[in-house]
Amino acid sequence: MELMSLAVLGILIVISPGADFVLVLKNSLNSGRKAGIATAIGISLAICVHIAYSLLGISYLISQNQWLFNLVRYAGAAYLIYLGLKGIFAKRDTQEILVSHKQHSPSWRYFSQGFLCNALNPKTMLFFLSIFSQVMSPDADNNWPAIVYGGYMIVLHGIWFSLVAILFTSPKLQAYLQRAKHRINQVCGAGLLLFGAMLGLKN
């Protein structure tokens, strides 16, 4: 799969509402913009963990067992299709966002919350394993696309969740995004389904 397609897939994954989004939203609304940005930085740096085990693990699979590597690749494609179908057929969420009184805590606490939320998320683990199985090369000296893509995902997570922390200080935007959440889920789901099918059909 071309890096441009993977770049678009990365955007869909990052902007899809999930555990990281909910945590940044909660900390931003309850504890202010700085708390939200600290959470975003923690999430962004946690991507380094996923990159490390993906590069090491998939490199080993490629060098030791080709059929097992193909199994991981097809499992990754199936997982993306599952996420896509889940997003398309997701029920409309009518839960309202409640803003509580500001709670002041050290920034490192919000940073650690974001880091652990992403690093320990099994869905994020599966995503990175599935994607890196597509960009890794059997030639160990030619894995710069995987490294570049990993850096891209780190920056993308940091920018997106920092923007969420900043923009959700506006009550009007909060109301708009809450109304559009269901449609965003469906659009992202359709994109994930398409990319999953492309991965599964790749020779």
Side-chain angles (χ1 to χ4, degrees), residues 24 37 40 157-169 173:
V24 173
I37 293 177
H157 276 78
I159 291 176
W160 169 249
F161 289 114
S162 292
L163 285 175
V164 170
I166 293 171
L167 295 177
F168 262 96
T169 57
L173 188 60

Side-chain angles (χ1 to χ4, degrees), residues 59-81:
S59 293
Y60 178 79
L61 287 180
I62 292 175
S63 63
Q64 300 295 323
N65 204 321
Q66 187 64 39
W67 75 266
L68 188 57
F69 167 72
N70 287 333
L71 180 63
V72 171
R73 184 167 68 88
Y74 287 122
Y79 175 68
L80 292 179
I81 292 174

Side-chain angles (χ1 to χ4, degrees), residues 12 31 36 48 60-61 68 78 93 107 125 130 138 144 184-185 202:
L12 290 176
S31 304
C48 296
Y60 178 79
L61 287 180
L68 188 57
D93 186 3
S107 295
M125 296 178 185
S130 63
W144 66 265
I184 292 173
N185 266 324
K202 176 185 175 183

Side-chain angles (χ1 to χ4, degrees), residues 3-16 20 24 40-41 43-45 47 51 118 127-128 148-164:
L3 285 179
M4 183 59 68
S5 298
L6 289 171
V8 176
L9 176 59
I11 293 174
L12 290 176
I13 286 292
V14 173
I15 68 175
S16 298
D20 293 336
V24 173
I41 294 173
I43 292 170
S44 178
L45 292 183
I47 301 301
I51 293 172
N118 186 276
F127 167 73
F128 272 89
V148 170
Y149 189 74
Y152 165 76
M153 291 299 293
I154 292 173
V155 173
L156 189 61
H157 276 78
I159 291 176
W160 169 249
F161 289 114
S162 292
L163 285 175
V164 170

